[in-house]
Amino acid sequence: AQSVTQLGSHVSVSEGALVLLRCNYSSSVPPYLFWYVQYPNQGLQLLLKYTSAATLVKGINGFEAEFKKSETSFHLTKPSAHMSDAAEYFCAVSEGTGANSKLTFGKGITLSVRP
Amino acid sequence: GAVVSQHPSRVICKSGTSVKIECRSLDFQATTMFWYRQFPKKSLMLMATSNEGSKATYEQGVEKDKFLINHASLTLSTLTVTSAHPEDSSFYICSARVGSFRGSPLHFGNGTRLTVT
């Protein structure tokens, strides 16, 4: 079974600082990986996805992630944090085949941005 | 594109009653929809996979008689929480993908906050 691990539950950065949210995956097949963001009392919004094309993936809101097979990692970064980036972030891996393939999520990381 | 609409956004019900939550794909057809449950400060737990015109597939530990799922059309899936109890209080989120490629992302509704009193 595929899985993702998000170490730590909370990251706090200053506005303008680098954001780094870690995600490691476990997969017996080439993985499809995703990062989602969730604001309070809302659903999840896709930030970016890796589907075996370029290893450096750019997403919305200035976020990007790099797929590193040797490290089984897919860390999310943003060069300069903004107050509006404060939210919950989830890494996910697609598991299964075809239309019924489901997403398995990590536990999520809460990002706080200090003024 | 790829908008998933969920209704209601919040619902409060009394213990013992049933609540229906609707999930619609507004601009695409979804043969498969996924229902997740999110506990406070916790990740998302997949409850079931619903397929249009057939029975839903429930994850281990999810009571299929309590959480009834119906996927009657290519744009609508419903989750009914039957005989609700306070422990069923949670945030329920539905999702769907465009097409059948497993690398396509899931698109999520805005969730339903269920409170059982």
Side-chain angles (χ1 to χ4, degrees), chain A residues 94-104, chain B residues 30-34 36 46 48-52 54-57 59 71 97 99-102 106:
Chain A
S94 181
E95 182 172 10
T97 59
N100 282 5
S101 54
K102 59 188 179 183
L103 288 189
T104 299
Chain B
T31 56
T32 306
M33 290 186 175
F34 303 85
Y36 285 85
L46 180 66
T49 302
S50 83
N51 292 288
E52 187 266 336
S54 63
K55 290 184 178 181
T57 302
E59 295 297 303
H71 195 152
R97 66 164 50 87
S100 60
F101 172 50
R102 75 179 181 97
L106 289 183

Side-chain angles (χ1 to χ4, degrees), chain B:
Chain B
V3 177
V4 175
S5 175
Q6 192 171 337
H7 179 80
S9 57
R10 307 180 77 90
V11 58
I12 301 173
C13 70
K14 292 187 176 181
S15 188
T17 62
S18 296
V19 173
K20 179 184 284 188
I21 302 170
E22 292 188 348
C23 180
R24 295 181 185 272
S25 56
L26 297 187
D27 51 359
F28 67 102
Q29 293 183 330
T31 56
T32 306
M33 290 186 175
F34 303 85
W35 287 94
Y36 285 85
R37 179 175 180 176
Q38 187 175 32
F39 296 90
K41 305 295 184 183
K42 296 283 187 182
S43 185
L44 293 94
M45 179 193 79
L46 180 66
M47 298 176 65
T49 302
S50 83
N51 292 288
E52 187 266 336
S54 63
K55 290 184 178 181
T57 302
Y58 290 82
E59 295 297 303
Q60 191 173 8
V62 177
E63 299 177 62
K64 61 180 66 177
D65 293 331
K66 164 167 276 295
F67 299 101
L68 299 179
I69 291 173
N70 183 275
H71 195 152
S73 77
L74 289 173
T75 59
L76 174 64
S77 176
T78 60
L79 167 67
T80 301
V81 183
T82 63
S83 187
H85 289 281
E87 56 265 31
D88 298 325
S89 297
S90 194
F91 194 56
Y92 295 88
I93 316 176
C94 70
S95 63
R97 66 164 50 87
V98 177
S100 60
F101 172 50
R102 75 179 181 97
S104 295
L106 289 183
H107 300 277
F108 287 82
N110 277 334
T112 296
R113 173 75 57 193
L114 170 62
T115 303
V116 184
T117 60

Side-chain angles (χ1 to χ4, degrees), chain A residues 11-86:
Chain A
V11 170
S12 180
V13 300
S14 298
E15 191 173 18
L18 171 72
V19 175
L20 170 61
L21 304 179
R22 300 178 185 274
C23 174
N24 289 88
Y25 70 90
S26 173
S27 177
S28 56
V29 298
Y32 294 114
L33 297 161
F34 307 84
W35 274 100
Y36 285 85
V37 61
Q38 184 182 33
Y39 298 100
N41 294 311
Q42 292 188 25
L44 279 70
Q45 180 182 8
L46 178 69
L47 281 176
L48 48 81
K49 61 180 180 179
Y50 169 75
T51 55
S52 75
T55 56
L56 181 62
V57 181
K58 294 186 183 298
I60 62 171
N61 302 341
F63 284 94
E64 62 182 38
E66 186 172 8
F67 174 75
K68 292 187 177 181
K69 184 177 179 180
S70 61
E71 299 178 8
T72 61
S73 68
F74 189 56
H75 302 332
L76 182 71
T77 60
K78 181 173 180 177
S80 177
H82 192 272
M83 297 297 290
S84 61
D85 294 327

